[in-house]
Amino acid sequence: MTAIGINVNTRAVKASVEPRTHLADFLRDHLNLTGTHLGCEHGVCGACTLLIDDMPARSCITFAATCDGARVITIEGLDDDEIATELRTAFTREHALQCGYCTPGMLISARDLVLRLDTADERAIRVGLSGNLCRCTGYVGIVRAVRAVIEDRRKRGIRPITGAGRVRLGPVGSGNGTSVERSKTTWSSASSEVQERSISRAAIPDFIPDRVFEQHFMVASPPDKVFATFGDIRLVASCLPGVSLTGDPTPEHVEGVIRVRLGPISAGFRGTARIERDPSTLSGQIVGRGDDQRSRSSTQGEIRYRLVAMEQGAATRVELSIGYSLQGMLAQIAREGLVRDLAARLTADFARNLDLELSGHGGSGPAQQAQSIDGLALMFDQLRALVRKIFGKIFGKS
Ligand code: FES
Ligand code: FES
């Protein structure tokens, strides 16, 4: 995984990506910016066009990792852009779209022409848009719309900008990736092994999880006691089935392995996590990431917790928000419902073990730690529930 920092639609985004992840997938799958469409995924159709450092670029053939330090603008980032607004109006008026699949990429290329072209020359517009394919419209409406916007702006005295303000030579994004440029940015670069190691140990970055869900459980101990226990990382790890530590934890950092089995695949995610705690609000968060070499999968996860006093302070409701992103082979089979059930079972086991520890009857030990979380059993549980439901419907029972 490579740590990157990209400015997307004026928002600073830090993430860790596989070297092969292309920018379009990163934007769509990690940031939910689905306005960037994917057609050919070979750099031919132009559907995935967006702006990298103000230059139109194919995001399907641009690796996200090479955009570290770049400024990316997608169609969503042009909502309030003056030229894009004029183009959208002209596209609507001139019937320049039908299914709309090519339209985001077409608008971004068209905006670049409106910025650069001196006159509304039809041939220049057709050449300029030749990298954006449209299966529906026959292009007549599109060219008419772009011509209309250019003519209107020139009539209003708005002059073209030579080269659309570009100062760099070379391919799109070539301004990023030189050590001189990168050292000036506020984000740390993962370009050297030393930096990579220090990132993995100390700076586990925040990320935007693909999936987030809530869980809660009760323990029969006061919140202060539960919070203090959460500070004992070894004890917390011993309460989690399938988890074992691989180093000495500190209050802010932990390294370990979590073993899970999903369908036919067993995985042992080896990783590292950052721990933050706030005693004033009895809350905290753990943000981590890990890789499983065997299934060539990787995950990022975060657990946020908050402790709420119940039963006049004698008991605690532990509220959890669990977020994760999964890449690699396991992502193909780990459907959201299965992961959710896995987390529910993990949470239930953790709650039970924690309760035992807090009441002085701790049952966690090596045998328990060695267990993995069995996703196959979960699938059978789900199957059993489904069969029960079907028979219930047939025989009129719930
Ligand atoms: S999807 Fe990128 S050029 Fe076709
Ligand atoms: S409007 Fe359908 S592909 Fe262009």
Side-chain angles (χ1 to χ4, degrees), residues 209-224:
D210 289 343
R211 303 268 185 272
V212 179
F213 48 87
E214 316 287 328
Q215 302 257 324
H216 67 267
F217 62 88
M218 293 282 294
V219 279
S221 296
D224 285 349

Side-chain angles (χ1 to χ4, degrees), residues 243-276:
V243 169
S244 51
L245 301 182
T246 54
D248 288 332
T250 69
E252 299 86 27
H253 179 84
V254 61
E255 289 176 14
V257 179
I258 179 164
R259 293 188 174 77
V260 294
R261 191 146 73 92
L262 282 162
I265 299 181
S266 295
F269 284 98
R270 180 175 291 271
T272 180
R274 183 186 91 217
I275 302 164
E276 286 168 21

Side-chain angles (χ1 to χ4, degrees), residues 96-103 106 133-137 142:
L97 70 154
Q98 286 180 31
C99 77
Y101 203 83
C102 68
T103 309
M106 195 68 84
L133 305 184
C134 175
R135 295 182 306 176
C136 307
T137 62
I142 295 172

Side-chain angles (χ1 to χ4, degrees), residues 140-154:
V140 174
I142 295 172
V143 173
R144 221 169 27 219
V146 179
R147 290 191 70 183
V149 173
I150 295 175
E151 269 166 11
D152 182 54
R153 288 179 72 85
R154 302 298 171 257

Side-chain angles (χ1 to χ4, degrees), residues 147-168:
R147 290 191 70 183
V149 173
I150 295 175
E151 269 166 11
D152 182 54
R153 288 179 72 85
R154 302 298 171 257
K155 267 190 211 145
R156 286 189 278 141
I158 304 173
R159 304 307 314 151
I161 301 172
T162 312
R166 295 165 194 159
V167 289
R168 287 176 181 143

Side-chain angles (χ1 to χ4, degrees), residues 38-41 43-48 58 60:
L38 282 166
C40 65
E41 296 193 61
V44 177
C45 73
C48 63
R58 307 278 207 238
C60 73

